[in-house]
Amino acid sequence: PQPPKVLGLQVGATMPSWQFLINQIYISEMLVSEIIVSYVCDMKFYNREKEIKKLLEIKEQSKKNAQFNVVTGRRRIGKTQLLLKSYENTKFLYFFVAKKSEVILCQDFLQELKEKLNPPILGEVNSFSVLFEYIVQLSYEQNITLIIDEFQEFFTVNPSVYNDMQRIWDLHKDKSKLNLIVSGSVISLMYKIFENYKEPLFGRANHFIKLQAFKTNTLKEILSDYTPDYTPDDLLALYSFTGGVAKYVQLFMDNGWTSQEKMIEGMIDENSIFISEGKNLLIDEFGKEYGTYFSILTAISEGKNTRAEIENLLKKEIGGYLTKMERDFNLIKKQQPIFTKSSTKNVKYQIEDNFIMFWFRFIYKYSSMIEIGAYEQLRKIIERDFSSFSGHMLEKYFRENAQISQAYTSIGNYWDRKRETEIDFIAVNEIEKSIDFAEIKRQKNNISIEKLRQKAAEFLIQNPQFNSYKKEFYAWSLED
């Protein structure tokens, strides 16, 4: 038989690999590819046991009374796959809110309803509110799970949907057995829908699940499954480039990018999804002012991480932008020295998402090189600067490890106002009355425990409440 045509591409013997096809699916910006790729690349399902258990418990609760659930998380984090995996052994309705007219969307949704439940339907359905109310009424007699993916896109399709859903939900929820799950990737819009008291669906959700990236222990497990002889550099590179975002990790593993060299080579390629990924992720969040936001994130990625430094560079006031990126977009985090009282004079900002940090530090910064196709030169720059870039990632890696261990009551780092004394890692266990200090560098022979003790002594002068605590000092590096 003739090879199938997928998105206008002839798939056959001349096709370089499934990787190329996957890249083209992403480039087409069809969000439904999140599902398509999961079938093409059959990757083991990792580390979502807690979330799956929660979703199954909610499903049981919905058999008695209606449940309204919200699942959020950045794009590519694996929300759709989590929901499909959780309910793979049960019948459910899956509505994907694409950027189409409401009439066409209703036709798509109606087809899904007919295939899954085959209820009696009279006449045409051109309004989502009519269809939603019908499903809620069907759930009087039978337990129904309805998943609405990319829920925030109703702002584009028909914003009145949210008011209609509030009215329908309030009217019918006491008699319904509907397990309603709405999922969204544009964090600022999902925040607006459910956490802004002026919005109609404020206070309606029973459960919020915010899906996080894979932690360091899961990344170790994945890399070990695919290449048991990986090096510490390979693990740190996987953490630095993907930040544990499920779809990125999946693409790395499926394409055999398991070493630092192959990861850089795979990402920095003319067919790579990662070249435009940062822009695709953030344009919807930032809107028309994305230029200012991008400039701020670029500055932070290059180490200009105080408000004064960024404002001096941009020649404009940025307080409002920083607040939105921290509170509404969850992109940056305000950092202060551990156990220091709140002060705007000793605050640094850190990009929370490792991939976004990498994208602004290397891809966006050197976009002019990408424009002329100088991919080989860009790869050399990343290889040259990776030691410096990954040094900061290594500190973050160890702090995350400490959080996973649950051995401490407080974890952070420390610097004085002049930034003359800096300690990479401080962790306290107030129950056991102990405090740990660590210096973190790629090479262990660059660490002096004696200097660490001196810096710890200065910290204790400012924080005498820990003088009686048991103290331990560590030198952590790639070896660890």
Side-chain angles (χ1 to χ4, degrees):
Q2 290 294 315
K5 287 188 177 181
V6 181
L7 300 179
L9 298 172
Q10 189 76 15
V11 183
T14 59
M15 200 72 176
S17 66
W18 278 104
Q19 171 202 343
F20 181 74
L21 171 59
I22 292 168
N23 286 342
Q24 295 304 316
I25 292 174
Y26 271 96
I27 289 168
S28 75
E29 297 186 340
M30 291 177 63
L31 291 176
V32 73
S33 67
E34 296 287 346
I35 303 167
I36 296 172
V37 174
S38 73
Y39 288 104
V40 174
C41 304
D42 186 18
M43 184 177 177
K44 174 183 171 183
F45 209 82
Y46 288 91
N47 192 42
R48 298 299 191 202
E49 294 86 358
K50 182 176 69 174
E51 291 84 357
I52 291 173
K53 181 182 178 183
K54 181 67 174 177
L55 287 166
L56 292 176
E57 288 174 353
I58 292 170
K59 167 70 174 174
E60 287 301 309
Q61 291 172 2
S62 70
K63 293 177 181 179
K64 299 177 181 178
N65 44 66
Q67 299 293 311
F68 194 144
N69 315 288
V70 180
V71 179
T72 64
R74 56 102 84 204
R75 283 180 179 164
R76 322 299 194 212
I77 205 72
K79 299 182 297 300
T80 302
Q81 301 311 315
L82 169 67
L83 295 173
L84 297 181
K85 182 69 176 178
S86 298
Y87 298 124
E88 64 182 350
N89 295 320
T90 186
K91 187 178 290 187
F92 60 87
L93 299 173
Y94 177 79
F95 292 175
F96 180 85
V97 187
K99 293 180 180 179
K100 300 179 181 179
S101 72
E102 186 174 8
V103 173
I104 295 175
L105 274 180
C106 286
Q107 292 174 3
D108 295 343
F109 298 163
L110 199 57
Q111 183 63 32
E112 171 78 354
L113 180 61
K114 289 177 180 177
E115 290 179 1
K116 296 291 180 65
L117 299 182
N118 193 28
I121 297 176
L122 301 176
E124 293 185 359
V125 178
N126 296 323
S127 166
F128 178 76
S129 62
V130 171
L131 181 60
F132 180 66
E133 187 163 21
Y134 180 59
I135 293 171
V136 173
Q137 290 173 340
L138 285 175
S139 72
Y140 282 9
E141 303 300 328
Q142 58 179 314
N143 180 227
I144 298 173
T145 293
L146 170 61
I147 299 170
I148 306 178
D149 208 349
E150 296 301 339
F151 185 65
Q152 78 284 340
E153 292 301 335
F154 277 124
F155 273 119
T156 304
V157 176
N158 179 5
S160 67
V161 163
Y162 303 117
N163 286 289
D164 294 336
M165 288 186 70
Q166 177 210 352
R167 173 183 57 80
I168 294 165
W169 185 258
D170 290 349
L171 184 64
H172 298 282
K173 65 181 175 64
D174 292 336
K175 295 176 284 186
S176 167
K177 298 173 186 174
L178 180 66
N179 180 27
L180 174 62
I181 303 169
V182 301
S183 172
S185 300
V186 181
I187 305 298
S188 56
L189 293 181
M190 293 297 285
Y191 175 87
K192 177 181 178 181
I193 293 168
F194 293 104
E195 299 188 42
N196 185 330
Y197 72 93
K198 296 180 180 180
E199 294 298 317
L201 291 178
F202 174 78
R204 296 312 188 275
N206 300 94
H207 306 276
F208 281 86
I209 297 176
K210 184 177 180 181
L211 200 58
Q212 304 287 348
F214 290 145
K215 299 298 184 184
T216 53
N217 54 348
T218 304
L219 289 178
K220 288 181 73 171
E221 178 188 355
I222 293 171
L223 195 56
S224 180
D225 285 348
Y226 279 81
T227 176
D229 59 346
Y230 72 87
T231 68
D233 258 317
D234 298 335
L235 177 59
L236 182 58
L238 181 65
Y239 176 73
S240 301
F241 296 144
T242 71
V245 173
K247 187 58 63 177
Y248 302 156
V249 176
Q250 178 180 359
L251 286 173
F252 275 42
M253 297 301 105
D254 288 335
N255 286 294
W257 304 342
T258 54
S259 68
Q260 176 188 317
E261 181 182 358
K262 288 181 179 178
M263 292 175 199
I264 296 173
E265 183 180 339
M267 286 191 298
I268 309 304
D269 180 87
E270 61 181 333
N271 292 319
S272 169
I273 69 161
F274 296 101
I275 298 299
S276 59
E277 180 73 352
K279 191 171 183 179
N280 292 341
L281 287 172
L282 298 175
I283 286 293
D284 285 344
E285 294 279 15
F286 296 153
K288 295 179 181 179
E289 290 193 281
Y290 81 88
T292 300
Y293 286 109
F294 275 32
S295 297
I296 294 171
L297 291 170
T298 300
I300 296 174
S301 74
E302 294 177 346
K304 297 177 179 64
N305 51 20
T306 69
R307 177 174 171 177
E309 289 174 323
I310 301 168
E311 288 184 339
N312 185 55
L313 180 67
L314 271 59
K315 308 300 181 187
K316 67 183 297 183
E317 205 277 336
I318 62 166
Y321 295 97
L322 292 173
T323 298
K324 285 185 178 181
M325 283 196 288
E326 181 182 14
R327 184 194 64 197
D328 298 347
F329 305 139
N330 293 328
L331 272 174
I332 63 174
K333 186 175 182 180
K334 188 186 297 181
Q335 286 192 316
Q336 286 187 281
I338 190 171
F339 303 117
T340 300
K341 293 181 180 179
S342 180
S343 168
T344 57
K345 295 182 179 179
N346 204 14
V347 167
K348 298 191 294 187
Y349 290 91
Q350 174 182 290
I351 297 175
E352 283 288 89
D353 188 297
N354 289 6
F355 171 77
I356 295 298
M357 178 76 168
F358 166 78
W359 193 84
F360 278 100
R361 174 65 180 82
F362 293 106
I363 296 178
Y364 187 69
K365 178 181 179 180
Y366 295 106
S367 55
S368 59
M369 297 178 67
I370 292 170
E371 287 292 325
I372 63 172
Y375 295 100
E376 181 61 32
Q377 286 77 6
L378 180 53
R379 282 194 288 266
K380 289 179 180 178
I381 288 174
I382 296 173
E383 290 168 355
R384 180 196 70 193
D385 296 344
F386 182 71
S387 291
S388 173
F389 174 77
S390 64
H392 298 292
M393 290 294 177
L394 189 61
E395 294 177 20
K396 188 176 178 183
Y397 179 96
F398 280 112
R399 284 195 289 271
E400 189 173 301
N401 267 353
Q403 292 172 8
I404 294 170
S405 73
Q406 298 188 352
Y408 304 101
T409 53
S410 299
I411 301 169
N413 52 354
Y414 174 81
W415 62 93
D416 60 13
R417 289 191 176 183
K418 295 181 179 180
R419 299 204 183 182
E420 295 174 350
T421 299
E422 295 192 33
I423 302 175
D424 298 330
F425 177 93
I426 299 177
V428 171
N429 186 321
E430 294 182 12
I431 299 169
E432 298 182 2
K433 304 295 183 184
S434 65
I435 182 168
D436 293 346
F437 299 90
E439 187 81 4
I440 302 169
K441 295 186 183 298
R442 286 176 57 89
Q443 303 300 324
K444 187 157 291 192
N445 56 14
N446 291 332
I447 300 174
S448 168
I449 290 294
E450 183 55 38
K451 288 184 179 179
L452 177 61
R453 289 179 182 275
Q454 293 171 8
K455 290 189 285 187
E458 293 184 35
F459 166 82
L460 292 170
I461 291 173
Q462 302 298 323
N463 298 274
Q465 67 269 32
F466 301 116
N467 282 329
S468 61
Y469 280 38
K470 178 185 176 183
K471 303 169 189 66
E472 297 287 349
F473 300 88
Y474 297 96
W476 289 336
S477 69
L478 276 173
E479 296 176 22
D480 304 294

